[in-house]
Amino acid sequence: MANSPHRELPLDAILAPPARPPQAMVAAMREGGWFGPLGIVRPGENGKYELICGRRRVAAARAAGWTSGGFVLATRCDAALLRLRENACRDDNPAAAYRDVLALSEAGMSYTEISRATSITRSQIAKLMRLRALIPELLQRLEKGEISANLAFEAASLPEEEQAKLAQDERPTIPKVRALKTARLKAVNPPPIPEQDAPPQEHIALPEPALWQAILQLAQDVRDGIEPPERLVNMILRSR
């Protein structure tokens, strides 16, 4: 983060998640044996600063009685990269990672560039970006931990009107999402009419846009390494 300035900031203005500080660090800070910035922050609202990294150092400074400390100010992209690097090996809620990847993508970075900068694979990035199709209500529920990550990824392939119904459900589940998908496929690809009931010499054209949309989505997931090729083959065979 070249050109990122250091700034003395009051600890009351730092929004940091709770952390248990190492006692050795607390003792060093009380004795004046700590040098350098406490962490990296980016400006937030109402004069506050969001802590990107350094939560144990901030917790130790507070425990040592400090009222202010030095911090590095980060840009929006710096902050997103730092969060992604810090959480690359954790199984955290993917909503925050999605927002960071989206910010980097909108800033002009390709999936390959984001992958190189964060050690997150391209397939993981592509999977996170599937949440772009999620309606805001479901994304908020994901952020709050009210729905699972797997359910969110499944729901992202549904049309917005069906996602809206799911968002109103107090206890949405993956089977409910798959039931909506199955009903949608049946609606666009109903069972064939028995020969005795079919109009003579008339070809019945069945609408297939939703089915092909599902096949296309699965093909993209196979290309990005998210789904195995066998699942795509099985879907195509079942659609015949």
Side-chain angles (χ1 to χ4, degrees):
M1 285 176 300
N3 303 323
S4 293
H6 290 221
R7 181 178 296 184
E8 188 77 12
L9 297 172
L11 295 185
D12 288 345
I14 307 301
L15 302 175
R20 180 177 297 176
Q23 291 307 307
M25 189 181 293
V26 175
M29 289 185 177
R30 281 181 179 154
E31 295 168 4
W34 185 267
F35 303 95
L38 293 179
I40 301 173
V41 297
R42 74 181 181 98
E45 298 178 351
N46 303 318
K48 301 292 186 180
Y49 293 83
E50 177 192 355
L51 185 71
I52 307 305
C53 67
R55 59 182 182 177
R56 293 201 305 166
R57 294 192 294 272
V58 169
R62 285 172 171 161
W66 288 24
T67 58
S68 65
F71 291 88
V72 176
L73 294 184
T75 67
R76 186 185 180 204
C77 286
D78 287 334
L81 284 170
L82 284 165
R83 279 191 297 263
L84 288 170
R85 286 171 186 162
E86 194 170 67
N87 297 324
C89 298
R90 300 179 187 171
D91 189 21
D92 288 345
N93 189 314
Y98 155 69
R99 292 194 185 280
D100 287 334
V101 168
L102 179 62
L104 296 173
S105 178
E106 289 178 344
M109 291 184 70
S110 68
Y111 287 6
T112 299
E113 289 170 333
I114 296 172
S115 177
R116 288 173 180 167
T118 62
S119 300
I120 299 174
T121 65
R122 287 186 76 258
S123 62
Q124 288 174 314
I125 292 169
K127 185 175 182 179
L128 285 170
M129 289 299 285
R130 284 169 57 184
L131 296 178
R132 196 169 194 170
L134 210 61
I135 63 173
E137 293 83 355
L138 285 178
L139 187 58
Q140 288 172 5
R141 294 189 68 176
L142 174 63
E143 289 176 321
K144 294 176 182 177
E146 295 177 358
I147 62 175
S148 70
N150 288 339
L151 189 148
F153 287 121
E154 288 272 359
S157 62
L158 291 172
E160 288 188 2
E161 59 271 19
E162 292 183 359
Q163 288 190 42
K165 294 177 184 176
L166 197 66
Q168 298 301 318
D169 192 328
E170 291 185 1
R171 293 185 178 180
T173 61
I174 291 178
K176 289 180 180 179
V177 175
R178 290 177 178 169
L180 287 172
K181 289 183 178 181
T182 301
R184 184 162 162 254
L185 287 175
K186 286 182 178 179
V188 298
N189 194 13
I193 301 174
E195 291 185 5
Q196 60 270 24
D197 299 330
Q201 299 179 347
E202 181 178 348
H203 176 70
I204 301 174
L206 300 177
E208 296 181 341
L211 174 62
W212 284 110
Q213 183 182 359
I215 291 175
L216 245 155
Q217 177 64 58
L218 186 55
Q220 291 170 353
D221 290 347
V222 170
R223 179 198 63 191
D224 293 330
I226 299 170
E227 297 287 355
E230 294 79 9
R231 188 173 176 188
L232 175 61
V233 173
N234 290 338
M235 176 177 277
I236 293 173
L237 291 176
R238 286 199 305 269
S239 68
R240 295 181 61 187

mmCIF file of all heavy atoms in Angstrom, residues 46-74:
data_model
loop_
_atom_site.group_PDB
_atom_site.id
_atom_site.type_symbol
_atom_site.label_atom_id
_atom_site.label_comp_id
_atom_site.label_asym_id
_atom_site.label_seq_id
_atom_site.Cartn_x
_atom_site.Cartn_y
_atom_site.Cartn_z
ATOM 1 N N ASN A 46 -19.527 8.860 10.230
ATOM 2 C CA ASN A 46 -19.592 9.613 11.492
ATOM 3 C C ASN A 46 -18.243 9.704 12.200
ATOM 4 O O ASN A 46 -18.156 9.613 13.419
ATOM 5 C CB ASN A 46 -20.630 8.981 12.434
ATOM 6 C CG ASN A 46 -22.015 8.900 11.811
ATOM 7 O OD1 ASN A 46 -22.455 9.843 11.149
ATOM 8 N ND2 ASN A 46 -22.695 7.786 12.003
ATOM 9 N N GLY A 47 -17.186 9.869 11.411
ATOM 10 C CA GLY A 47 -15.875 10.046 12.002
ATOM 11 C C GLY A 47 -15.247 8.779 12.546
ATOM 12 O O GLY A 47 -14.212 8.845 13.230
ATOM 13 N N LYS A 48 -15.825 7.626 12.259
ATOM 14 C CA LYS A 48 -15.290 6.348 12.727
ATOM 15 C C LYS A 48 -14.396 5.731 11.652
ATOM 16 O O LYS A 48 -14.432 6.116 10.478
ATOM 17 C CB LYS A 48 -16.420 5.385 13.082
ATOM 18 C CG LYS A 48 -17.369 5.891 14.164
ATOM 19 C CD LYS A 48 -16.693 5.970 15.515
ATOM 20 C CE LYS A 48 -17.687 6.332 16.605
ATOM 21 N NZ LYS A 48 -17.047 6.419 17.945
ATOM 22 N N TYR A 49 -13.601 4.737 12.067
ATOM 23 C CA TYR A 49 -12.708 4.042 11.152
ATOM 24 C C TYR A 49 -12.888 2.529 11.321
ATOM 25 O O TYR A 49 -12.914 2.032 12.452
ATOM 26 C CB TYR A 49 -11.251 4.411 11.423
ATOM 27 C CG TYR A 49 -10.920 5.850 11.121
ATOM 28 C CD1 TYR A 49 -11.188 6.850 12.053
ATOM 29 C CD2 TYR A 49 -10.364 6.214 9.898
ATOM 30 C CE1 TYR A 49 -10.898 8.180 11.776
ATOM 31 C CE2 TYR A 49 -10.069 7.534 9.607
ATOM 32 C CZ TYR A 49 -10.350 8.521 10.552
ATOM 33 O OH TYR A 49 -10.065 9.830 10.275
ATOM 34 N N GLU A 50 -13.020 1.835 10.197
ATOM 35 C CA GLU A 50 -13.159 0.372 10.229
ATOM 36 C C GLU A 50 -11.776 -0.263 10.279
ATOM 37 O O GLU A 50 -10.916 0.018 9.432
ATOM 38 C CB GLU A 50 -13.901 -0.107 8.986
ATOM 39 C CG GLU A 50 -14.024 -1.622 8.902
ATOM 40 C CD GLU A 50 -14.507 -2.087 7.537
ATOM 41 O OE1 GLU A 50 -14.839 -1.250 6.686
ATOM 42 O OE2 GLU A 50 -14.523 -3.322 7.333
ATOM 43 N N LEU A 51 -11.561 -1.115 11.272
ATOM 44 C CA LEU A 51 -10.275 -1.802 11.399
ATOM 45 C C LEU A 51 -10.218 -2.969 10.423
ATOM 46 O O LEU A 51 -11.081 -3.845 10.438
ATOM 47 C CB LEU A 51 -10.078 -2.307 12.829
ATOM 48 C CG LEU A 51 -8.715 -2.940 13.122
ATOM 49 C CD1 LEU A 51 -7.624 -1.870 13.140
ATOM 50 C CD2 LEU A 51 -8.741 -3.684 14.452
ATOM 51 N N ILE A 52 -9.210 -2.994 9.573
ATOM 52 C CA ILE A 52 -9.042 -4.059 8.582
ATOM 53 C C ILE A 52 -8.199 -5.190 9.154
ATOM 54 O O ILE A 52 -8.521 -6.363 9.015
ATOM 55 C CB ILE A 52 -8.398 -3.516 7.291
ATOM 56 C CG1 ILE A 52 -9.186 -2.319 6.765
ATOM 57 C CG2 ILE A 52 -8.325 -4.606 6.246
ATOM 58 C CD1 ILE A 52 -10.652 -2.586 6.534
ATOM 59 N N CYS A 53 -7.133 -4.863 9.795
ATOM 60 C CA CYS A 53 -6.325 -5.872 10.486
ATOM 61 C C CYS A 53 -5.607 -5.224 11.665
ATOM 62 O O CYS A 53 -5.381 -4.010 11.663
ATOM 63 C CB CYS A 53 -5.340 -6.551 9.533
ATOM 64 S SG CYS A 53 -4.052 -5.468 8.904
ATOM 65 N N GLY A 54 -5.285 -6.047 12.667
ATOM 66 C CA GLY A 54 -4.636 -5.538 13.865
ATOM 67 C C GLY A 54 -5.534 -5.542 15.085
ATOM 68 O O GLY A 54 -5.304 -4.789 16.028
ATOM 69 N N ARG A 55 -6.561 -6.416 15.087
ATOM 70 C CA ARG A 55 -7.517 -6.356 16.194
ATOM 71 C C ARG A 55 -6.881 -6.743 17.533
ATOM 72 O O ARG A 55 -7.270 -6.209 18.572
ATOM 73 C CB ARG A 55 -8.738 -7.241 15.906
ATOM 74 C CG ARG A 55 -8.453 -8.710 15.683
ATOM 75 C CD ARG A 55 -9.735 -9.448 15.366
ATOM 76 N NE ARG A 55 -9.505 -10.880 15.187
ATOM 77 C CZ ARG A 55 -10.486 -11.760 14.967
ATOM 78 N NH1 ARG A 55 -11.735 -11.346 14.929
ATOM 79 N NH2 ARG A 55 -10.218 -13.036 14.812
ATOM 80 N N ARG A 56 -5.909 -7.662 17.530
ATOM 81 C CA ARG A 56 -5.264 -8.023 18.804
ATOM 82 C C ARG A 56 -4.394 -6.874 19.310
ATOM 83 O O ARG A 56 -4.315 -6.626 20.525
ATOM 84 C CB ARG A 56 -4.426 -9.294 18.655
ATOM 85 C CG ARG A 56 -5.257 -10.550 18.385
ATOM 86 C CD ARG A 56 -4.502 -11.807 18.729
ATOM 87 N NE ARG A 56 -3.210 -11.880 18.039
ATOM 88 C CZ ARG A 56 -2.242 -12.740 18.359
ATOM 89 N NH1 ARG A 56 -2.402 -13.563 19.375
ATOM 90 N NH2 ARG A 56 -1.115 -12.753 17.678
ATOM 91 N N ARG A 57 -3.739 -6.154 18.409
ATOM 92 C CA ARG A 57 -2.926 -5.011 18.823
ATOM 93 C C ARG A 57 -3.808 -3.897 19.388
ATOM 94 O O ARG A 57 -3.451 -3.270 20.391
ATOM 95 C CB ARG A 57 -2.090 -4.495 17.640
ATOM 96 C CG ARG A 57 -1.037 -5.477 17.169
ATOM 97 C CD ARG A 57 -0.053 -4.827 16.208
ATOM 98 N NE ARG A 57 -0.674 -4.437 14.947
ATOM 99 C CZ ARG A 57 -0.785 -5.237 13.888
ATOM 100 N NH1 ARG A 57 -0.337 -6.490 13.967
ATOM 101 N NH2 ARG A 57 -1.347 -4.811 12.781
ATOM 102 N N VAL A 58 -4.955 -3.673 18.747
ATOM 103 C CA VAL A 58 -5.870 -2.640 19.250
ATOM 104 C C VAL A 58 -6.417 -3.043 20.620
ATOM 105 O O VAL A 58 -6.499 -2.227 21.548
ATOM 106 C CB VAL A 58 -7.020 -2.399 18.252
ATOM 107 C CG1 VAL A 58 -8.123 -1.519 18.867
ATOM 108 C CG2 VAL A 58 -6.488 -1.739 16.986
ATOM 109 N N ALA A 59 -6.781 -4.327 20.759
ATOM 110 C CA ALA A 59 -7.295 -4.802 22.044
ATOM 111 C C ALA A 59 -6.227 -4.668 23.129
ATOM 112 O O ALA A 59 -6.522 -4.291 24.277
ATOM 113 C CB ALA A 59 -7.739 -6.263 21.922
ATOM 114 N N ALA A 60 -4.959 -4.953 22.789
ATOM 115 C CA ALA A 60 -3.865 -4.832 23.757
ATOM 116 C C ALA A 60 -3.647 -3.373 24.147
ATOM 117 O O ALA A 60 -3.413 -3.062 25.330
ATOM 118 C CB ALA A 60 -2.586 -5.422 23.168
ATOM 119 N N ALA A 61 -3.729 -2.468 23.165
ATOM 120 C CA ALA A 61 -3.541 -1.045 23.457
ATOM 121 C C ALA A 61 -4.634 -0.543 24.396
ATOM 122 O O ALA A 61 -4.361 0.230 25.328
ATOM 123 C CB ALA A 61 -3.545 -0.248 22.153
ATOM 124 N N ARG A 62 -5.851 -0.983 24.174
ATOM 125 C CA ARG A 62 -6.947 -0.581 25.065
ATOM 126 C C ARG A 62 -6.735 -1.135 26.471
ATOM 127 O O ARG A 62 -6.945 -0.437 27.463
ATOM 128 C CB ARG A 62 -8.280 -1.052 24.485
ATOM 129 C CG ARG A 62 -8.739 -0.212 23.287
ATOM 130 C CD ARG A 62 -9.955 -0.791 22.604
ATOM 131 N NE ARG A 62 -10.491 0.139 21.599
ATOM 132 C CZ ARG A 62 -11.293 -0.205 20.611
ATOM 133 N NH1 ARG A 62 -11.668 -1.479 20.479
ATOM 134 N NH2 ARG A 62 -11.736 0.694 19.755
ATOM 135 N N ALA A 63 -6.307 -2.409 26.532
ATOM 136 C CA ALA A 63 -6.065 -3.020 27.840
ATOM 137 C C ALA A 63 -4.909 -2.333 28.566
ATOM 138 O O ALA A 63 -4.877 -2.289 29.806
ATOM 139 C CB ALA A 63 -5.772 -4.506 27.674
ATOM 140 N N ALA A 64 -3.968 -1.782 27.793
ATOM 141 C CA ALA A 64 -2.813 -1.104 28.390
ATOM 142 C C ALA A 64 -3.130 0.329 28.784
ATOM 143 O O ALA A 64 -2.264 1.026 29.329
ATOM 144 C CB ALA A 64 -1.639 -1.136 27.416
ATOM 145 N N GLY A 65 -4.342 0.774 28.474
ATOM 146 C CA GLY A 65 -4.737 2.129 28.858
ATOM 147 C C GLY A 65 -4.460 3.192 27.815
ATOM 148 O O GLY A 65 -4.590 4.387 28.096
ATOM 149 N N TRP A 66 -4.083 2.781 26.612
ATOM 150 C CA TRP A 66 -3.849 3.768 25.560
ATOM 151 C C TRP A 66 -5.174 4.418 25.161
ATOM 152 O O TRP A 66 -6.223 3.774 25.163
ATOM 153 C CB TRP A 66 -3.239 3.118 24.322
ATOM 154 C CG TRP A 66 -1.809 2.688 24.474
ATOM 155 C CD1 TRP A 66 -1.143 2.390 25.635
ATOM 156 C CD2 TRP A 66 -0.874 2.484 23.413
ATOM 157 N NE1 TRP A 66 0.141 2.010 25.381
ATOM 158 C CE2 TRP A 66 0.347 2.060 24.008
ATOM 159 C CE3 TRP A 66 -0.934 2.605 22.040
ATOM 160 C CZ2 TRP A 66 1.484 1.758 23.266
ATOM 161 C CZ3 TRP A 66 0.187 2.310 21.286
ATOM 162 C CH2 TRP A 66 1.391 1.891 21.900
ATOM 163 N N THR A 67 -5.122 5.689 24.795
ATOM 164 C CA THR A 67 -6.317 6.390 24.300
ATOM 165 C C THR A 67 -6.228 6.676 22.804
ATOM 166 O O THR A 67 -7.226 7.012 22.172
ATOM 167 C CB THR A 67 -6.518 7.717 25.048
ATOM 168 O OG1 THR A 67 -5.340 8.527 24.888
ATOM 169 C CG2 THR A 67 -6.786 7.461 26.533
ATOM 170 N N SER A 68 -5.035 6.536 22.240
ATOM 171 C CA SER A 68 -4.858 6.755 20.807
ATOM 172 C C SER A 68 -3.672 5.930 20.329
ATOM 173 O O SER A 68 -2.903 5.383 21.130
ATOM 174 C CB SER A 68 -4.638 8.238 20.496
ATOM 175 O OG SER A 68 -3.417 8.684 21.061
ATOM 176 N N GLY A 69 -3.521 5.849 19.012
ATOM 177 C CA GLY A 69 -2.415 5.088 18.453
ATOM 178 C C GLY A 69 -2.248 5.390 16.980
ATOM 179 O O GLY A 69 -3.122 6.021 16.358
ATOM 180 N N GLY A 70 -1.149 4.940 16.406
ATOM 181 C CA GLY A 70 -0.897 5.164 14.990
ATOM 182 C C GLY A 70 -1.554 4.091 14.133
ATOM 183 O O GLY A 70 -1.542 2.908 14.471
ATOM 184 N N PHE A 71 -2.133 4.512 13.014
ATOM 185 C CA PHE A 71 -2.792 3.589 12.094
ATOM 186 C C PHE A 71 -2.436 3.947 10.652
ATOM 187 O O PHE A 71 -2.124 5.099 10.335
ATOM 188 C CB PHE A 71 -4.319 3.653 12.260
ATOM 189 C CG PHE A 71 -4.816 3.101 13.555
ATOM 190 C CD1 PHE A 71 -4.905 3.913 14.681
ATOM 191 C CD2 PHE A 71 -5.173 1.766 13.664
ATOM 192 C CE1 PHE A 71 -5.346 3.400 15.895
ATOM 193 C CE2 PHE A 71 -5.620 1.248 14.870
ATOM 194 C CZ PHE A 71 -5.707 2.073 15.994
ATOM 195 N N VAL A 72 -2.492 2.939 9.795
ATOM 196 C CA VAL A 72 -2.296 3.141 8.358
ATOM 197 C C VAL A 72 -3.661 3.261 7.709
ATOM 198 O O VAL A 72 -4.532 2.406 7.928
ATOM 199 C CB VAL A 72 -1.507 1.964 7.735
ATOM 200 C CG1 VAL A 72 -1.402 2.143 6.224
ATOM 201 C CG2 VAL A 72 -0.129 1.860 8.359
ATOM 202 N N LEU A 73 -3.856 4.306 6.924
ATOM 203 C CA LEU A 73 -5.120 4.487 6.220
ATOM 204 C C LEU A 73 -5.074 3.746 4.886
ATOM 205 O O LEU A 73 -4.123 3.891 4.115
ATOM 206 C CB LEU A 73 -5.390 5.975 5.961
ATOM 207 C CG LEU A 73 -5.632 6.837 7.192
ATOM 208 C CD1 LEU A 73 -5.986 8.259 6.776
ATOM 209 C CD2 LEU A 73 -6.759 6.258 8.040
ATOM 210 N N ALA A 74 -6.097 2.947 4.608
ATOM 211 C CA ALA A 74 -6.142 2.147 3.381
ATOM 212 C C ALA A 74 -7.239 2.659 2.453
ATOM 213 O O ALA A 74 -8.246 3.206 2.901
ATOM 214 C CB ALA A 74 -6.406 0.680 3.722
#
